[in-house]
Amino acid sequence: MDMTIKTLITGADRGMGYELALELGLKGQYIYIGSRNLARGQAAVARLEAAGVQAQAVQLDVTEHESIVAAKASITAGLDILINNAGIAVDHETKPSELSLDAIRQDFNVNYFGLIDVTQVFLPLLREAPAGWIINISSAVGSLTLASDASTSIRKLQASGYQASKSAVNMFTVNPGWVDTSFGGGGGNRIVKVGVAQTVELATSDALTDSGTFSDIDGIVPW
């Protein structure tokens, strides 16, 4: 019987998703690279395989239910861990009073509704696993406590659609911090390896002691 842990990571063809795939793959997990663009996913798999990681590209657009269902059908060897990593931010520092509903809907369609759809579709596979785990990547900008604290940089941030979408998923989530990736706009105070550290720890632990929490590498993040 194949006891290899099999992990699906959404949005894994670059940035934090790719780093997660690399680190978990190097620890012996088989990685499904969820990618909206299959060609980018396949290119990521080629890089991972060159590094010694077993991986497979899976076309997966979290905003398209049919794509999610097709992705599930393509995973025939089982699934142990789902990492909901795919995310977008289209606010562009627009004032809340001027931010379009279309932009807010885009944030929510990927970051919240897409996450829920992926989770619900893949739950049957996770329930068949010895211990199916779900890890959602959120953000500290979704913390109401930190957003209300004038001493934090989050208070000054203007990304209300993105922040609200992340607040919506913070019931069960991981906060990677501001990571230095193209998604974060560069200049983040955590390199990608540090940003994914908590997720890697959770995805390789024998027991999820932090289950049901909003946490990062420093511990529980306040609501």
Side-chain angles (χ1 to χ4, degrees):
M1 177 183 247
D2 182 7
M3 299 300 291
T4 302
I5 293 175
K6 301 171 183 66
T7 301
L8 168 64
I9 306 171
T10 64
D13 55 76
R14 60 181 178 176
M16 283 178 43
Y18 179 82
E19 181 67 20
L20 280 170
L22 177 62
E23 295 199 28
L24 294 177
L26 290 175
K27 292 180 181 295
Q29 295 187 15
Y30 184 92
I31 309 297
Y32 294 106
I33 300 295
S35 178
R36 184 168 58 88
N37 183 294
L38 184 58
R40 287 204 305 262
Q42 291 169 333
V45 167
R47 297 196 304 273
L48 290 168
E49 290 179 339
V53 173
Q54 290 185 298
Q56 172 186 332
V58 176
Q59 197 282 325
L60 177 53
D61 183 341
V62 303
T63 67
E64 296 289 343
H65 182 72
E66 293 77 10
S67 172
I68 300 170
V69 172
K72 179 198 170 199
S74 71
I75 296 178
T76 58
L79 185 67
D80 299 281
I81 301 174
L82 168 62
I83 300 179
N84 284 308
N85 168 75
I88 63 168
V90 296
D91 306 74
H92 306 303
E93 289 291 313
T94 305
K95 295 178 181 179
S97 58
E98 300 173 1
L99 185 62
S100 71
L101 284 177
D102 181 64
I104 296 172
R105 288 188 179 104
Q106 288 182 60
D107 285 327
F108 268 81
N109 281 340
V110 174
N111 302 340
Y112 183 59
F113 297 119
L115 180 149
I116 293 173
D117 201 3
V118 169
T119 300
Q120 290 180 342
V121 169
F122 279 91
L123 267 177
L125 290 183
L126 294 168
R127 284 173 174 152
E128 292 174 359
W133 295 352
I134 301 170
I135 302 173
N136 298 330
I137 306 298
S138 186
S139 170
V141 304
S143 164
L144 298 176
T145 299
L146 297 180
S148 302
D149 186 343
S151 69
T152 70
S153 60
I154 294 173
R155 175 68 177 269
K156 304 177 182 68
L157 184 66
Q158 293 191 128
S160 56
Y162 177 73
Q163 289 176 267
S165 70
K166 287 302 185 179
S167 293
V169 301
N170 280 354
M171 182 63 72
F172 306 96
T173 195
V174 170
N175 166 41
W178 181 21
V179 182
D180 192 10
T181 64
S182 59
F183 177 87
N189 59 9
R190 291 181 182 173
I191 62 173
V192 181
K193 191 175 185 67
V194 173
V196 303
Q198 171 76 343
T199 308
V200 171
E201 181 178 347
L202 291 174
T204 55
S205 298
D206 293 330
L208 285 181
T209 55
D210 290 333
S211 180
T213 67
F214 176 32
S215 61
D216 66 9
I217 59 175
D218 298 317
I220 304 300
V221 178
W223 280 87

